[in-house]
């Protein structure tokens, strides 16, 4: 089993996504999203390779919902998964590249 490690940027982008969902919908949708993230992190901790690896970004991604993708890095020798960031798929992809490169 892999340990899940929240990097600072993943904590910030998760909070931003929660805030966005709350403003656009309501607390019920926030709770659904939080549960979805929790379930996917459980799956990830059991099988780190369920996401799609991107050699250009040197990280993997896992679609959490239609709107959100999680980017993460597998640290094999520590049996650890570093969560890099949660990405709202409607945002500008150029910004994603910039954020991923800053996080390494």
């Amino acid at each position: 089993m892999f340990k899940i490690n929240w990097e600072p940027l993943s904590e910030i982008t998760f909070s931003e996504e929660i805030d966005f969902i709350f403003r656009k919908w309501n607390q019920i949708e926030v709770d659904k999203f939080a549960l979805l993230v929790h379930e996917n992190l459980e799956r990830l901790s059991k099988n780190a390779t369920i996401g799609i690896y991107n050699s250009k970004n040197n990280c993997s991604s896992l679609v959490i919902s239609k709107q959100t993708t999680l980017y993460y890095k597998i640290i094999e020798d520590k049996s650890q998964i570093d969560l890099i960031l949660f990405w709202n798929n409607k945002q500008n992809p150029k910004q994603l590249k910039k954020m991923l490169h800053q996080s390494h």
Side-chain angles (χ1 to χ4, degrees):
M1 221 151 113
F2 284 77
K3 178 182 173 256
I4 302 290
N5 176 48
W6 288 71
E7 293 291 324
L9 185 57
S10 67
E11 291 177 352
I12 292 166
T13 54
F14 176 74
S15 292
E16 288 173 350
E17 199 60 17
I18 291 286
D19 289 345
F20 172 78
I21 293 167
F22 185 75
R23 279 184 274 114
K24 188 157 180 156
W25 290 283
N26 55 37
Q27 186 61 47
I28 293 166
E29 296 304 317
V30 166
D31 294 345
K32 283 184 193 173
F33 177 73
L35 181 61
L36 199 55
V37 168
H38 176 74
E39 290 169 351
N40 277 284
L41 293 181
E42 282 287 311
R43 287 177 50 222
L44 205 51
S45 72
K46 292 174 185 156
N47 181 1
T49 60
I50 60 174
I52 298 165
Y53 181 74
N54 182 321
S55 58
K56 217 183 275 184
N57 296 327
N58 191 28
C59 67
S60 297
S61 63
L62 179 66
V63 175
I64 301 291
S65 70
K66 190 169 71 174
Q67 298 89 353
T68 310
T69 301
L70 166 64
Y71 289 85
Y72 65 96
K73 198 170 204 157
I74 302 168
I75 315 297
E76 287 284 349
D77 59 335
K78 291 183 177 179
S79 293
Q80 179 173 304
I81 294 170
D82 287 349
L83 304 183
I84 300 170
L85 65 93
F86 289 83
W87 181 254
N88 184 310
N89 297 324
K90 294 185 175 156
Q91 293 181 136
N92 184 338
K94 287 180 184 171
Q95 185 66 23
L96 173 62
K97 271 187 182 174
K98 190 172 151 188
M99 290 175 81
L100 286 173
H101 288 293
Q102 286 175 350
S103 68
H104 296 306

